[in-house]
Amino acid sequence: RHEEYQYLAQAEGQTDLYLQMLAKLGRTEEAIAQAQQQMTTAAEAFTLAQTFREQGKLEHALSIAKQGLDLGGDGSYRLAIWTSELAEDMDEEIAFQARLQAFRLFPSLADYLKVKELAGSQWKTLKTKLLKQLRQKTTLDDGAKVAIFLEEGLVEDAIATVDQLSSFQSDIIHATMDAAVADHAEWVIENARRRAESIVNEGKAQYYYHAVNWLRR
């Protein structure tokens, strides 16, 4: 009962399901026209784009995905990754721009390296901008920032990121110390000593193995 399904989906504000059903019924042009009028989030675009891809209508899928990236909202990162992967064999510029958008939404080393791969001759200039943005933003995931800084050999930037972090984030602090010990041994010693002493001075022997891990540095 497809007609009733569509009425119900519209009445309940389930735009993604309504558009998906149009696509599944083969009403491609109508689905695209309605999408242009009714889609408001990346998540809605993702549902329709996936349906077109499953049907082998890759150009339509990519077109809807691009439209969704401009909408923002829930699902933007997931759609950006999906769009980039879809576009790699179709349109390199779209693949690059989508992956760049994904990186700017939620920076990670994996996406950073993929942007680098797709950027081509643009990378030198773009790299400078992206690293500047990482340094300026304080709300980003510290692990991602440190991984990228260490990948680029920017040990001092990694140190600045982890210096005052809680010892609960020991994994990324240890990684920075390991990278820094050759040229910034004094920082490694002082930071490790301070963190070890804070454990020992509390007299909690059950946590001394953490102090040992710091003092190994």
Side-chain angles (χ1 to χ4, degrees), residues 30-190:
E30 184 178 354
I32 293 173
Q34 290 297 319
Q36 292 174 343
Q37 297 177 18
Q38 297 191 35
M39 281 196 320
T40 58
T41 68
E44 293 170 351
F46 189 38
T47 299
L48 181 57
Q50 282 183 305
T51 302
F52 281 142
R53 185 177 189 179
E54 291 167 2
Q55 295 174 338
K57 299 174 181 176
L58 302 185
E59 293 292 343
H60 292 313
L62 188 57
S63 176
I64 291 296
K66 284 178 56 185
Q67 184 179 338
L69 290 178
D70 292 333
L71 297 175
D74 292 341
S76 293
Y77 175 78
R78 182 177 61 165
L79 178 60
I81 296 295
W82 187 88
T83 303
S84 180
E85 292 173 349
L86 175 65
E88 276 197 54
D89 295 327
M90 300 173 64
D91 189 314
E92 291 184 359
E93 181 62 21
I94 294 176
F96 163 63
Q97 292 295 340
R99 185 68 64 157
L100 180 59
Q101 184 168 337
F103 177 80
R104 284 175 167 156
L105 287 169
F106 296 107
S108 70
L109 177 59
D111 287 334
Y112 180 84
L113 294 176
K114 192 63 179 181
V115 169
K116 179 180 180 179
E117 175 188 327
L118 295 170
S121 61
Q122 304 177 64
W123 177 242
K124 185 176 181 179
T125 301
L126 180 61
K127 172 185 170 181
T128 302
K129 292 180 180 179
L130 294 182
L131 291 174
K132 182 179 180 180
Q133 291 169 5
L134 288 179
R135 294 185 185 103
Q136 292 175 338
K137 291 186 178 181
T138 58
T139 57
L140 299 181
D141 175 61
D142 291 317
K145 290 176 68 172
V146 168
I148 293 168
F149 288 145
L150 294 182
E151 171 70 20
E152 294 293 353
L154 300 171
V155 176
E156 291 184 359
D157 285 307
I159 288 173
T161 303
V162 306
D163 190 44
Q164 298 302 320
L165 290 183
S166 164
S167 294
F168 287 109
Q169 294 179 271
S170 60
D171 286 350
I172 62 174
I173 301 172
H174 286 167
T176 302
M177 287 180 169
D178 292 343
V181 68
D183 297 315
H184 300 82
E186 290 186 6
W187 173 81
V188 175
I189 293 169
E190 172 58 25

